[in-house]
Amino acid sequence: DVQLQASGGGLVQAGGSLSVSCAASGFSSDDVAIGWFRQAPGKEREGISCISIHDGKTYYADSVKGRFTISSDNAKNTVYLQMNSLEPEDTAVYYCGADYLFTGWARCTPDLYDFWGQGTQVTVSS
């Protein structure tokens, strides 16, 4: 069974940095896309960054481009999201999602991903 285990997050002041990790298991190949998504209170879940494990191609939402960096350690089957210059607007529950590669994976659209880890809270104080 596919499992995703998210960790990290926490509380930080505006301008600070945090990282979150997503350990994946159960996939039968590395033709997988893994992404980070977030959901703020009263808002829909949005994709903020996704990565293709096989070739390292990445996607970033405009709202995080230049501040967040997604990376993967294939030996550990883990995807990381380094978040710098955090803003209060980044406050949300962050989820990792994954699926076998499909056309359109790079749109990083939550509805297109089938496997999900538990959320981890990121809170940025002003």
Side-chain angles (χ1 to χ4, degrees):
D1 291 350
V2 171
Q3 291 189 345
L4 302 174
Q5 181 69 41
S7 61
L11 171 65
V12 68
Q13 289 188 329
S17 298
L18 284 173
S19 65
V20 288
S21 303
C22 178
S25 62
F27 285 104
S28 59
S29 76
D30 65 354
D31 289 333
V32 172
I34 298 179
W36 283 99
F37 307 79
R38 68 186 180 189
Q39 188 164 18
K43 294 188 176 182
E44 292 186 354
R45 190 172 298 188
E46 62 170 337
I48 55 174
S49 186
C50 290
I51 186 168
S52 166
I53 299 303
H54 179 67
D55 59 13
K57 290 182 178 179
T58 58
Y59 159 88
Y60 294 95
D62 288 343
S63 59
V64 305
K65 204 172 289 184
R67 300 188 298 122
F68 291 11
T69 303
I70 193 169
S71 62
S72 66
D73 182 336
N74 293 355
K76 296 181 179 179
N77 295 321
T78 300
V79 169
Y80 305 94
L81 185 69
Q82 177 66 39
M83 303 178 288
N84 298 328
S85 302
L86 283 160
E87 304 166 352
E89 293 74 22
D90 296 315
T91 295
V93 177
Y94 283 65
Y95 299 89
C96 62
D99 211 330
Y100 291 100
L101 283 178
F102 57 90
T103 302
W105 72 267
R107 290 198 292 271
C108 209
T109 302
D111 289 350
L112 300 181
Y113 284 73
D114 286 337
F115 304 103
W116 292 93
Q118 85 286 9
T120 184
Q121 179 70 43
V122 170
T123 302
V124 184
S125 62
S126 57

